[in-house]
Amino acid sequence: MKRSLIPPGGTMAVRDALLALLTAGPAYGFQLHGGLASRTGGRRTINVGQTYATLERLTRQRLVEPAGTTDDGLPLHRLTTAGATAATAWLEGADAAGADPWDETVDRVLIARSLPDCDADAVVSAERRRWTQRRREASAATGTTLEPDPVDRAGAEPTDEERAESALVRLAASADLSRADAALAWLDAVAAEPRTAYAPRADRPRRGRRPGGVATGAQRAGAQAAGAQAAGAQPSGAQPADA
């Protein structure tokens, strides 16, 4: 079974990605579930139950609302005005609370480039500005511009612990600087690639119950036939125990 390379719910709020996907128009749960994986290059392969749970939560928060059903009965979801505002804010760079900036950048850029009506170039440019600022801050922190301890100003030598702490601060800043450099290099590579936008795909569930927990007539008939075959020949007209 293919697993996500990124733990769901920790580094990018799935809610923001689903809201962004709904900017392309109303969609049903399984369609959004597949779109989340395909439009993030496979980085976001989550359990389908999490997709539906997130949609229910977004509905309670009045960011998403029902939009009727498909011709074959699948419930559709669409953005409310508040949901559209939240989706735009995320695409413009509002990271989810507690999210890692690098993961937010990668997922946001990939999704933006896959949506036909999204200004992906503007998204990439905004990400470049943010990472340039982060690089500037990290570069300053790797120098010797840290405020000296009051003990130092009094002429006393810093302790071994103080020296170690200062070194660790510089090393941490150096790591941030390296990541900013990597992010900017990746954004350059993205800008050099051709656009990869495509319309939403109307994928249908391949097996099991329909979204919403209601089995179709064909599924019920298939399940009954399979049960009868497994149990051996039954008299004509006999009903399964759970019918």
Side-chain angles (χ1 to χ4, degrees), residues 79-121:
L79 294 174
T80 63
T81 300
T85 299
T88 299
W90 183 73
L91 287 169
E92 290 180 347
D95 291 345
D100 182 84
W102 166 249
D103 288 319
E104 289 282 274
T105 292
V106 175
D107 289 325
R108 179 160 43 233
V109 168
L110 294 177
I111 289 175
R113 284 177 60 86
S114 77
L115 295 172
D117 297 327
C118 183
D119 188 349
D121 291 340

Side-chain angles (χ1 to χ4, degrees), residues 27-76:
Y28 53 88
F30 193 80
Q31 184 180 15
L32 291 167
H33 175 73
L36 183 62
S38 65
R39 292 180 187 276
T40 58
R43 284 166 55 87
R44 289 291 169 181
T45 304
I46 64 171
N47 186 287
V48 68
Q50 185 178 352
T51 300
Y52 286 108
T54 303
L55 285 171
E56 291 176 2
R57 185 166 62 253
L58 291 171
T59 301
R60 292 195 302 270
Q61 295 171 346
R62 298 184 180 179
L63 299 174
V64 168
E65 64 185 4
T69 63
T70 63
D71 292 341
D72 52 350
L74 296 175
L76 292 168

Side-chain angles (χ1 to χ4, degrees), residues 207-222:
R207 61 181 181 275
R209 291 184 178 273
R210 306 283 283 180
V214 179
T216 65
Q219 288 172 329
R220 288 193 297 269

